[in-house]
């Protein structure tokens, strides 16, 4: 039985194989969004729970399996940020009000990831700061 059919059939061995093959890469994707290791591990667990319960049967090719899994991981991490407000976001909340974010991205033409590196905050923190600054300017 291949992995995709195994996931569809809720085969535990196929699920273990998928976890073994892809958990570290998915953890890397999640850690890029949620830098706190404990929160990222929790999101990884939620990701595999979602995969177990709601595996997309539209995935027909093994080459698309990792793409499907990474989309689930990213969406789960983003949902976690919106609903649970991870400790990293609270710690960096002061940094997300920095006016430099807008200046670095729009005036100096840096990318969001370059601004994150300069300000020493997570990429998601730069995105939140950028959104907050734009909303402040609108008001």
């Amino acid at each position: 039985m291949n992995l995709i059919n195994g996931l569809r059939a809720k085969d535990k061995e196929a699920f273990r194989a998928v976890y073994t093959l892809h958990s570290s890469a998915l953890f890397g994707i999640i850690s890029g969004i949620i830098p706190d290791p404990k929160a990222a591990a929790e999101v990884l667990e939620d990701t595999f729970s979602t995969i177990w319960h709601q595996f997309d049967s539209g995935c027909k090719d093994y080459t698309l399996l990792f793409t499907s899994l990474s989309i689930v991981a990213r969406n789960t991490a983003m949902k976690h940020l919106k609903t649970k407000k991870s400790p990293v976001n609270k710690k960096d909340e002061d940094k997300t009000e920095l006016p430099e974010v807008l200046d670095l991205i729009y005036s100096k033409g840096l990318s969001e990831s370059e601004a994150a590196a300069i300000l020493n905050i997570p990429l998601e923190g730069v995105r939140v700061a950028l959104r907050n600054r734009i909303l402040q300017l609108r008001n």
Side-chain angles (χ1 to χ4, degrees):
M1 178 180 294
N2 71 27
L3 293 179
I4 295 171
N5 290 335
L7 286 175
R8 283 188 193 128
K10 305 259 189 270
D11 179 54
K12 291 180 182 179
E13 290 302 316
F15 185 77
R16 280 189 197 107
V18 168
Y19 184 86
T20 302
L21 290 170
H22 300 293
S23 62
S24 61
L26 295 178
F27 186 76
I29 291 169
I30 293 166
S31 296
I33 298 169
I34 302 173
D36 178 34
K38 287 184 181 181
E42 181 182 317
V43 171
L44 181 66
E45 184 179 320
D46 291 345
T47 298
F48 275 97
S49 176
T50 301
I51 291 166
W52 176 257
H53 293 292
Q54 302 171 358
F55 181 69
D56 180 17
S57 60
C59 180
K60 297 179 183 177
D61 187 0
Y62 183 75
T63 58
L64 299 176
L65 178 62
F66 182 73
T67 302
S68 297
L69 299 177
S70 62
I71 290 170
V72 172
R74 182 187 177 284
N75 290 344
T76 305
M78 297 303 286
K79 184 187 220 180
H80 178 84
L81 281 178
K82 290 178 184 174
T83 59
K84 295 191 179 181
K85 293 288 184 184
S86 70
V88 173
N89 282 345
K90 289 181 182 178
K91 181 178 81 177
D92 291 333
E93 202 166 279
D94 298 337
K95 294 181 181 179
T96 62
E97 298 302 321
L98 294 173
E100 294 92 15
V101 172
L102 204 59
D103 183 54
L104 288 172
I105 292 175
Y106 287 106
S107 298
K108 296 187 178 167
L110 298 178
S111 68
E112 291 174 345
S113 57
E114 291 169 332
I118 289 172
L119 296 172
N120 197 26
I121 60 175
L123 180 59
E124 191 60 32
V126 169
R127 291 178 179 151
V128 169
L130 186 59
R131 186 188 76 230
N132 289 344
R133 293 297 296 158
I134 290 172
L135 289 174
Q136 285 176 352
L137 290 172
R138 283 184 187 164
N139 294 333

